[in-house]
Amino acid sequence: NVMAVRTRRAGGGQGERERVQSLCEVESSILEKHWGPFDLIRMMERCALSCCVEDDDGGLVGFAAFHHAPLVGDFKPSMWIDDVKRMWSTNMGDGEDVDYSNTLVLNFFHSEHAHEEQALNEVLKMAFNTFSQVEHVLLFIPVSIPLFKPLLGNFEPLVLQADVKNNYGCYHVNRKEVVGEVVVRLAMVEDHDDLMPIFKAQNEDADAYGEFFLAQMIQSQDETNKALVAELNGKAVGILGVTGDMSLAALQEAFELETYDFLVQGYAEAAVKLHEDHVARERMRKEEHERQVQEMLAEARRAAREEVEEEYSQMMDERADKQEEEDADKTPEELEAEEKEREEMFDQELAQRIEAAEEEALMEIGEFLAHPEPSVDLQTLSSNTVCITLFCLDPRLDSQVHKLLEPALDLFPDKEYCILTKRHTARQSSLIHLFHPVPEKLGCNFSHALYICHRASLLWPMQVSRAGEGDVEEVSDFLEGEQSKDQVLSSLRDAAKLESVFLARLEGQLSAIAVVTPSKEPATFSKWFELEQFMSPGLYGSDEHLELLHLLVNPIFLKRVPEILRELLRITETFCLHASVRDAKAMPRAYDTLTYIPCRRLAPSSPPQDLDPAKTALEPNLPMPEGPPALLHTNFRLLSQPKKDLDDRIVIIGGSETSVGFADAIMSVPYLNLHRVSYVSSGGLSLRPPLYKRRSLSLSDPEYRQHAVSRGCRVVEGNIAQLDREEQVVSVRMDNGETVEMKYDHLVLAAGFRDTIMDRLQLWDVDGVFSPFNLYQEDALHAWLKNQPNLQNLNVVIFGSSLDVFVSARRLQEEGVAGSITIACPHKKLRPTGDERVDELVVEAAKRSGVQLKTGCDIREVEQRAQRVTGVVTKEEESLPCSLLILLGERGVDKDLFSAINDQSLVFDGRFFLIPSVGVDALP
């Protein structure tokens, strides 16, 4: 009886390792003769793919380890294929040959004898299905050991070259012999019966299309609509429908497609010509405007001169008779002085008239107004893409999906791109692994997610090599406009640097650039980061770590990043790669392949060596150490585990540390790529601890700087205005005053509390009143302080009773506020911490710093003049002079948020309740 077995990836836990060791323990001496000295735990950690084989009862019956290079003999990972070609005849027929991209090595296999044939077959299938471009699997056995079962009969020996001796024999099996090879052809109506079961299994609403949907679609093929079938052993096992006839207007309006020339042909040329024509027209318009200005100015000067001369002539004629008698009694000197005075008066009047005339002329003609540069009329350009209209494939052949897409694009040789759209919550197909997502424009809310693939991204292999001096010009052109251009070129030109520049090319065309260097202190990462969640640091040598300094990839090749990183590790003969990022800016999309490593929550127990606790314990402004950077990591094993793309639209209404922690958690899941997560908060994402509120223990300083949410999450600066649960739409009022609507599949409400006095007393438009509960208000207060001409004379009132008021007072003093600072507490006694002794120390420290304390002061009214705060009136009718009012007293929910959720029948009592039935997820 044939017993069924199933294969899965080997886990990295201690229990899994013990099971594998127990399986191999009995025959360990025989296995060592077959495979050489082996370390199972080391292989499970370091090999690209480790497989466990289980029987129907879940018992472990087999184990195998595959890698991109042999682990036996004297083979060097950076050049082992060259050695194989030198020693063995590797021509596999049909012009095929082994290379680094299409070859994998089986470095270990063992199974219980009752299952060995099935186990071997299953692990080989898993290897070919995991690495879609691998066509050959090799294994190396000592020549003194005859090939044994089950390898015997499944692997064929390679012929050793003449006059070559080696201690190992090389054996080979190809994909076609294990999983078969699909043949792609145009679909025929007769394929309907074979394809329909597959189509129904992969489409929940297949029945809605009708019983003969596939036959009708196949029959309706024409010049712009094609259907290709994948055939295996004479049977149709998959179908791909494509069309070249589609309207792109809606997609161009909804998605960020400029990187892809808006999916039309000749866009770049049309844009350049349009720009040049616009510049030429504007130059002619400006020259014409300048000519008109000069003409009008000249005419204005002439008219002003004529007018003044005429007036002067009339004045002189009127005085001519009288002047003769008056001048008779004057000396020549007096006459000359009078004449000079009249000329000066004339010149002065003429200058004033000309100036007024010029101003009037300029006002009449107006300033030159440049016309906005027109955009390319995309509707006049031909489409440069085909669109997937239908796809289904037997899941056992998912690794060969690229063999369907390549000939589909060949049917449209004038098109460069292929696109597909899918519902945001629809199940992913294997085809999606060849495409990468296109970001959607904010507020567009298109009904489907858009994915794109360039025909060049399907070419193989990607050649990765070290750059040389002769590549400087090509690298410089590739990096034009990139901020890291100078740094990369410096690494390329300076041979003394440890940094190495690598170039990735497809058919000779530069596609990506990477700059790497040997990692200096890999042990440091185990100290600062939770690396043990993803790897076993102790199983890697200190010289087996590579640091990625720069990675710049042509956007159309983003899906090829894992291949590029594998080649970097192979060429440099390392096993781990990491990238450290100091700032919290959005990560390049090329880094999506890497795994985010959380930093440890607890700081090291010992202080840095440059700090003396005895001297610095009482220092008020002691700078904290910068702390570790954000760490992204990968290795051969992680690179073979593709992340799952998810397009669920997740909208997080944030502002609290809870919201940041939630966003950080979902964006850090190592096996997911979330493409449609939006974080909404007034002021955006906080990358530092609060300045005017007490710190919490929720996030450490490094975690503020390392938010994973900033790597791939869209941050929207604003707050919720309205909520429509039925349509699943949230309206967001942006900080700039605009309002956008955002559709969601999952909504998370975690905005936190804030002071509500601003709402109660309607103080939002009063200058000098702030409630620094979020980043927007903090930045506004900080900017207001910088604009004050004199911080010495400010009268500050801080209202509240929590520890926040003391933090704000101290912060203002650090900002240079030296005027009067008064803490107004609405209660009879200040209890900022709840601990009587600690409260006394806090109050005493505030008094020593010059802060005045008033208890039992509740705000009744805020006095203002010209929309600027001038004083605070308490309910006890006491008036406090005030030029800056900070409100940290009444904790409540934002009024717009409360109205939005209340209108939708959501109950609020200090927390948000989880209501999964309406797609709203809530956090306290």
Side-chain angles (χ1 to χ4, degrees):
N1 295 327
V2 178
M3 292 177 285
V5 297
R6 59 179 179 273
T7 311
R8 59 169 176 79
R9 283 182 180 272
Q14 183 63 30
E16 184 83 296
R17 293 174 176 180
E18 291 176 355
R19 293 180 71 195
V20 173
Q21 287 179 316
S22 177
L23 173 71
C24 302
E25 187 176 12
V26 176
E27 300 185 24
S28 59
S29 58
I30 298 176
L31 292 174
E32 188 168 338
K33 290 180 181 179
H34 290 173
W35 303 101
F38 61 89
D39 184 333
L40 293 172
I41 296 178
R42 190 175 176 86
M43 279 193 290
M44 293 173 70
E45 170 64 31
R46 295 160 59 96
C47 283
L49 177 64
S50 298
C51 309
C52 286
V53 185
E54 295 179 336
D55 59 19
D56 285 339
D57 298 326
L60 185 66
V61 298
F63 173 77
F66 296 87
H67 196 54
H68 299 290
L71 301 182
V72 296
D74 298 326
F75 297 104
K76 296 187 67 175
S78 59
M79 52 188 301
W80 74 274
I81 283 287
D82 301 315
D83 293 337
V84 169
K85 290 182 176 181
R86 179 175 53 83
M87 289 185 280
W88 287 278
S89 175
T90 59
N91 194 318
M92 308 301 175
D94 299 329
E96 289 189 9
D97 200 354
V98 296
D99 59 41
Y100 292 107
S101 66
N102 72 359
T103 306
L104 203 62
V105 179
L106 175 61
N107 283 295
F108 186 86
F109 173 77
H110 175 61
S111 173
E112 293 182 357
H113 297 299
H115 302 277
E116 58 186 13
E117 281 288 344
Q118 288 176 283
L120 178 64
N121 187 260
E122 290 299 318
V123 297
L124 288 174
K125 285 181 180 179
M126 185 172 186
F128 284 119
N129 289 332
T130 300
F131 301 97
S132 60
Q133 295 303 323
V134 167
E135 296 292 334
H136 313 282
V137 172
L138 304 181
L139 67 85
F140 297 85
I141 299 292
V143 293
S144 59
I145 304 293
L147 195 63
F148 48 89
K149 286 187 176 182
L151 305 179
L152 183 64
N154 289 288
F155 283 81
E156 295 296 329
L158 295 183
V159 179
L160 202 64
Q161 301 280 16
D163 301 325
V164 174
K165 293 184 178 180
N166 196 285
N167 294 329
Y168 287 88
C170 182
Y171 300 85
H172 162 266
V173 67
N174 63 33
R175 172 186 292 273
K176 186 186 303 184
E177 296 165 349
V178 176
V179 297
E181 185 173 14
V182 299
V183 176
V184 179
R185 56 171 174 77
L186 285 174
M188 300 182 295
V189 175
E190 292 78 4
D191 298 320
H192 173 272
D193 292 343
D194 291 336
L195 294 172
M196 205 60 190
I198 302 174
F199 178 69
K200 286 186 175 182
Q202 298 182 8
N203 292 272
E204 297 177 356
D205 53 353
D207 292 336
Y209 289 93
E211 184 178 355
F212 301 104
F213 165 71
L214 291 181
Q216 293 169 355
M217 192 205 75
I218 294 171
Q219 196 170 25
S220 64
Q221 293 183 82
D222 54 29
E223 290 299 318
T224 57
N225 297 278
K226 299 290 184 181
L228 294 178
V229 156
E231 181 182 284
L232 181 65
N233 299 327
K235 181 179 180 180
V237 292
I239 185 171
L240 178 70
V242 293
T243 181
D245 181 20
M246 77 210 77
S247 173
L248 297 174
L251 297 178
Q252 292 162 345
E253 184 178 345
F255 293 93
E256 304 285 355
L257 286 170
E258 187 171 3
T259 303
Y260 313 103
D261 288 345
F262 295 99
L263 303 179
V264 293
Q265 299 177 12
Y267 172 80
E269 295 81 359
V272 169
K273 185 178 185 305
L274 193 65
H275 174 71
E276 292 175 349
D277 292 345
H278 174 73
V279 171
R281 284 195 304 270
E282 290 300 289
R283 183 172 58 250
M284 293 175 60
R285 288 185 61 245
K286 193 169 186 179
E287 290 173 355
E288 176 62 20
H289 181 269
E290 186 63 28
R291 184 188 63 78
Q292 293 178 4
V293 167
Q294 295 303 323
E295 287 181 355
M296 292 195 68
L297 289 177
E299 177 61 25
R301 295 188 195 103
R302 184 193 62 76
R305 177 178 292 275
E306 289 180 354
E307 183 180 348
V308 172
E309 287 178 346
E310 184 178 353
E311 292 177 359
Y312 183 77
S313 177
Q314 291 177 357
M315 181 188 71
M316 294 301 296
D317 290 343
E318 292 174 357
R319 295 183 56 190
D321 297 337
K322 298 179 181 180
Q323 193 69 31
E324 186 174 350
E325 296 178 1
E326 294 175 359
D327 292 347
D329 298 332
K330 296 179 181 177
T331 64
E333 291 79 7
E334 291 175 336
L335 293 174
E336 184 179 353
E338 288 182 355
E339 181 64 25
K340 185 176 181 181
E341 182 180 357
R342 283 193 296 271
E343 291 177 356
E344 290 178 352
M345 290 176 60
F346 173 81
D347 292 340
Q348 183 178 2
E349 178 67 19
L350 179 60
Q352 292 176 350
R353 294 285 187 89
I354 289 177
E355 182 180 358
E358 287 179 343
E359 290 181 359
E360 186 177 351
L362 290 175
M363 289 180 62
E364 181 179 347
I365 195 172
E367 296 181 357
F368 176 75
L369 297 177
H371 288 170
E373 185 167 347
S375 57
V376 176
D377 185 359
L378 301 176
Q379 305 307 312
T380 63
L381 301 178
S382 301
S383 169
N384 195 26
T385 185
V386 297
C387 181
I388 304 294
T389 57
L390 175 70
F391 170 75
C392 65
L393 179 67
D394 189 323
R396 293 172 296 182
L397 300 168
D398 280 347
S399 62
Q400 301 188 54
V401 65
H402 60 282
K403 295 180 180 179
L404 260 176
L405 188 58
E406 291 172 9
L409 282 167
D410 290 340
L411 294 174
F412 301 87
D414 61 326
K415 314 289 188 185
E416 292 184 321
Y417 292 100
C418 181
I419 61 174
L420 66 83
T421 59
K422 61 173 287 292
R423 295 193 306 273
H424 293 93
T425 56
R427 185 173 59 180
Q428 301 280 17
S429 68
S430 58
L431 190 64
I432 211 77
H433 299 309
L434 302 176
F435 291 71
H436 58 268
V438 181
E440 187 179 32
K441 296 178 181 178
L442 180 62
C444 285
N445 300 315
F446 197 72
S447 58
H448 287 59
L450 176 65
Y451 282 78
I452 192 168
C453 173
H454 192 282
R455 66 164 62 242
S457 68
L458 301 174
L459 299 174
W460 289 84
M462 180 82 76
Q463 302 289 346
V464 179
S465 60
R466 293 181 187 269
E469 293 184 1
D471 299 310
V472 171
E473 184 177 353
E474 185 181 15
V475 170
S476 179
D477 292 341
F478 185 87
L479 297 176
E480 192 63 40
E482 295 288 342
Q483 293 182 351
S484 56
K485 177 179 179 178
D486 293 339
Q487 296 172 328
V488 175
L489 291 177
S490 174
S491 301
L492 182 56
R493 293 188 177 112
D494 191 349
K497 288 187 175 182
L498 294 176
E499 301 165 4
S500 300
V501 180
F502 288 84
L503 307 181
R505 289 188 171 91
L506 270 174
E507 296 191 345
Q509 184 72 30
L510 184 58
S511 307
I513 297 175
V515 182
V516 298
T517 186
S519 183
K520 298 175 183 177
E521 298 181 358
T524 305
F525 294 129
S526 297
K527 174 182 179 181
W528 287 103
F529 299 95
E530 298 179 356
L531 272 172
E532 64 278 1
Q533 292 187 19
F534 306 95
M535 62 177 291
S536 299
L539 297 178
Y540 297 90
S542 59
D543 59 344
E544 294 181 320
H545 297 260
L546 193 66
E547 182 174 1
L548 180 65
L549 303 178
H550 302 283
L551 179 60
L552 301 109
V553 183
N554 185 322
I556 66 176
F557 299 115
L558 286 173
K559 281 292 184 178
R560 307 294 292 276
V561 170
E563 179 189 359
I564 296 171
L565 298 183
R566 274 196 294 266
E567 282 295 279
L568 289 177
L569 292 174
R570 181 190 64 79
I571 295 171
T572 57
E573 298 186 3
T574 53
F575 275 81
C576 292
L577 179 142
H578 71 265
S580 55
V581 182
R582 276 286 171 190
D583 54 16
K585 65 183 179 183
M587 301 289 180
R589 291 176 63 189
Y591 282 42
D592 285 348
T593 298
L594 304 178
T595 299
Y596 174 81
I597 308 296
C599 62
R600 298 193 186 280
R601 299 306 309 273
L602 299 178
S605 57
S606 58
Q609 295 180 358
D610 58 340
L611 296 180
D612 183 356
K615 297 179 180 179
T616 61
L618 301 178
E619 185 70 28
N621 296 317
L622 177 67
M624 292 293 292
E626 185 179 7
L631 182 67
L632 305 171
H633 167 85
T634 194
N635 54 35
F636 281 112
R637 177 171 50 83
L638 293 174
L639 285 172
S640 70
Q641 303 177 30
K643 296 184 178 182
K644 182 178 181 181
D645 294 294
L646 283 184
D647 293 298
D648 294 53
R649 295 164 295 185
I650 303 173
V651 177
I652 304 169
I653 306 300
S656 65
E657 290 186 349
T658 301
S659 66
V660 174
F662 175 81
D664 200 57
I666 63 172
M667 296 301 295
S668 302
V669 178
Y671 51 85
L672 292 181
N673 270 333
L674 297 169
H675 302 303
R676 319 284 172 179
V677 180
S678 299
Y679 181 85
V680 180
S681 176
S682 189
L685 179 66
S686 178
L687 302 178
R688 54 168 169 73
L691 300 178
Y692 298 92
K693 296 191 302 181
R694 66 185 182 278
R695 293 285 306 276
S696 75
L697 298 180
S698 299
L699 294 172
S700 63
D701 281 358
E703 286 175 310
Y704 269 106
R705 293 191 295 272
Q706 299 173 18
H707 290 320
V709 63
S710 62
R711 292 175 49 223
C713 183
R714 166 179 277 162
V715 178
V716 180
E717 298 184 8
N719 205 355
I720 185 172
Q722 288 183 329
L723 172 63
D724 188 334
R725 290 166 55 190
E726 184 176 349
E727 296 296 329
Q728 292 190 286
V729 174
V730 59
S731 295
V732 175
R733 184 179 295 108
M734 309 275 284
D735 289 346
N736 61 12
E738 298 179 4
T739 299
V740 297
E741 290 189 345
M742 303 174 65
K743 287 190 71 69
Y744 64 84
D745 299 303
H746 309 282
L747 177 64
V748 177
L749 301 172
F753 290 112
R754 43 156 286 193
D755 188 280
T756 59
I757 298 179
M758 297 276 279
D759 296 331
R760 178 165 60 85
L761 299 180
Q762 299 182 355
L763 301 174
W764 286 105
D765 296 325
V766 179
D767 187 23
V769 180
F770 300 92
S771 181
F773 56 89
N774 60 25
L775 188 63
Y776 179 76
Q777 279 282 304
E778 279 194 356
D779 290 343
L781 173 54
H782 192 65
W784 187 90
L785 289 171
K786 281 193 170 185
N787 290 331
Q788 298 309 302
N790 188 358
L791 296 177
Q792 309 297 319
N793 298 325
L794 283 181
N795 291 316
V796 182
V797 175
I798 305 175
F799 178 77
S801 59
S802 68
L803 192 59
D804 296 343
V805 297
F806 295 92
V807 174
S808 291
R810 182 57 179 270
R811 181 68 189 180
L812 290 174
Q813 290 174 335
E814 292 174 355
E815 293 283 348
V817 175
S820 169
I821 299 180
T822 302
I823 292 178
C825 173
H827 308 301
K828 293 183 178 180
K829 190 174 182 179
L830 269 167
R831 298 295 302 273
T833 67
D835 184 291
E836 187 173 351
R837 177 55 182 159
V838 175
D839 292 341
E840 291 176 359
L841 293 174
V842 171
V843 171
E844 185 62 30
K847 289 180 178 178
R848 284 201 308 270
S849 68
V851 176
Q852 302 178 44
L853 303 177
K854 288 184 175 293
T855 57
C857 293
D858 203 352
I859 296 179
R860 180 178 65 82
E861 180 185 355
V862 173
E863 297 177 332
Q864 50 187 289
R865 183 181 300 116
Q867 288 295 100
R868 184 182 181 106
V869 62
T870 58
V872 174
V873 179
T874 69
K875 291 184 177 180
E876 291 75 21
E877 301 299 332
E878 181 181 3
S879 181
L880 302 175
C882 177
S883 51
L884 171 61
L885 175 60
I886 296 179
L887 299 171
L888 295 165
E890 296 180 0
R891 284 169 57 85
V893 69
D894 178 87
K895 65 181 180 68
D896 290 334
L897 175 61
F898 181 83
S899 298
I901 63 174
N902 189 63
D903 291 345
Q904 295 297 309
S905 302
L906 293 177
V907 181
F908 172 71
D909 67 347
R911 291 175 179 269
F912 291 111
F913 291 96
L914 175 63
I915 308 180
S917 61
V918 295
V920 177
D921 299 335
L923 296 174

